[in-house]
Amino acid sequence: MFYPLSAFIAYRYAKSNKASQTSFVSFINRFSVAGIALGLMALIIVVSVMNGLEGQLKQRILGIVPHIEITKTPIISESPSRTSSENEVTETPTQTAEKTQTVTLKEISETPIEGVVATMAYREAEAVVQSRSDLRGVQVHGVQPEVMIEHTLVANNMEQGRFSDLTEGSFAAIIGRSLAIKLEARVGDRLRVMVAGASVYTPFGRMPSQRLVTVVGVFDMGSQMDDKVMYMNLKDVNRLMRDPKGSEQSLRLFLNDAFNYQAVVSALTDRVGVSANNMKTWRERQGPLFDAVKMEKNMMTLMLLLIIAVAAFNIVSALVMVVTEKQGDIAVLQTQGMLPSSVMWIFVLNGLFNGIKGAGIGLVLGVVITLQLNNILDLIGSPLALAADGRGLPIEMDVVQIAGIALLSLLLCVLASVYPARKAMKIAPSQALQNE
C-alpha cells in the first residue's frame, strides 16, 4: 500500500457500488456529482462564448478607434524644488522657466515605449457628409495610408478598394459598408464633406469648410463604428481644416494589446512627461460598452459558480448521512488505533474524490461541447452568426481560466466535506458501539 490508509478507505468507498450504500445516500451522492459536472460544463461554455464576444468587440471596435491619441504639443514640467526646513529658497521666474521644456510629437514617436508597436501622425474632425439621397454626421480620420495598411485590421477588412488609393491631393475617401448603404453611395461616387470646425466668412455669412471627395473604398468591420467613420489622407484633411502645415494634428499610438493602455499611459507620463490632459484613450469613447460586457460576463460566471456551489454542498447532506450510518465502523477503526484526524481525512478525501469525478466529467463535456457548439446549433436548426466571418458564435477558450474554474470547483467540494468530516472525528467509540 503506497498511499495513506485514509485515502485508501475514501477511494474504496467513492468507487463502491450502490449495493454497499443505502439507495437514498447513493442517489444524493450521484446527484451532487452530476450537479458539479453540469455546472462546470455550463460555466466553461458560457465563459468561452463571452470571451469570444469580448474578443470580437475588441477586434471590431478597437480596430477603428485610436488606442491612444496625443494631442498638440505636450509640456514637460519638472517637479518643483523642495524647500528646506532650515533655509527656505524662493526661485525666480527665470529659474522656473529654465526647468520647463517642451517635447515635440516627433520626439515622442521616436521614443521606444513597451507595448507601442507603431505611431502615426493623425487628425480627426467632426463633419457632415452629404450624398444625393441623405445627410449623415461622421468622424473624418486623417491617416497615413502606409501605416494603416501595416498596423490596422481595417485594411484587412476591405470589401472594395485599398488604403493605398488614399493618395495625397486626390481627396479620396474610404467609408464603412453601413455608411455606404445609408448614403446609397458606391465606389466612384462623389460626396460633399462639410466641416464646421474650419468655417470661413463669406458675403452670405459664415460657411463651413467643404469639399467634394471621391469614394475609393468600402470596409466592413461589422461594428457600430462602420457608419460613423470616414478615412482620408492626412494631408487632405489638413487642407480641409484650412491648416495645410498640420500644426493642429496629433499623434496616434498603436498598441499590441489595447486593454494594456494604462501601462503605456503611465510610461508616457513618467518617462516622457506627457500631461494626462494631452492624451485621449479608447476608454473615453468605448469604455462604458466594455464595462457592460465585463459586468455581464462576471455576473453570469458568479451565477453558474453558485450552481456549482449548490451541487457541491449536496455533498454535505450525503456525507452527514454516511457518518450517521457508519458510526459503528468509525468506532471500530478508532478502537484499532486510527487517529481522529485520520477519520476526518477519510471523509474530506471522499468529498474530494466526488468533486474530482464531477469536475472531470464536466471538464470533458464542457470542452467537447464548446468546440462543437456551432455544429450543435446548426444541427438543432438555430445557428447564430455573431462572429466576424458570419460563421457562428465566436469562441475563445482560455486554458488558465478553465483550469482555475475546475480547481475552484474542487475547493468547494473540499470545503463542503469539512463539516461532516469533523462530525465523524468527534464520534466517541464507546457510545457508538453501545448503540450498535
Side-chain angles (χ1 to χ4, degrees), residues 330-344:
I330 294 171
V332 170
L333 290 174
Q334 288 180 331
T335 56
Q336 291 179 347
M338 178 172 282
L339 297 174
S341 60
S342 299
V343 174
M344 183 189 73

Side-chain angles (χ1 to χ4, degrees), residues 78-82 91 99:
E78 295 185 7
S79 59
S81 60
R82 301 175 182 173
E91 295 185 350
K99 289 196 172 185

Side-chain angles (χ1 to χ4, degrees), residues 169-196:
S170 64
F171 283 92
I174 293 176
I175 61 177
R177 181 172 179 270
S178 300
L179 182 60
I181 293 174
K182 292 177 180 178
L183 295 176
E184 298 182 4
R186 300 178 179 84
V187 172
D189 290 352
R190 304 192 75 183
L191 305 174
R192 183 175 298 276
V193 179
M194 295 171 284
V195 183

Side-chain angles (χ1 to χ4, degrees), residues 120-137:
M120 177 183 71
Y122 173 79
R123 188 159 193 169
E124 183 176 324
E126 299 289 338
V128 174
V129 178
Q130 181 183 20
S131 67
R132 294 181 178 179
S133 60
D134 204 350
L135 191 72
R136 295 282 172 174

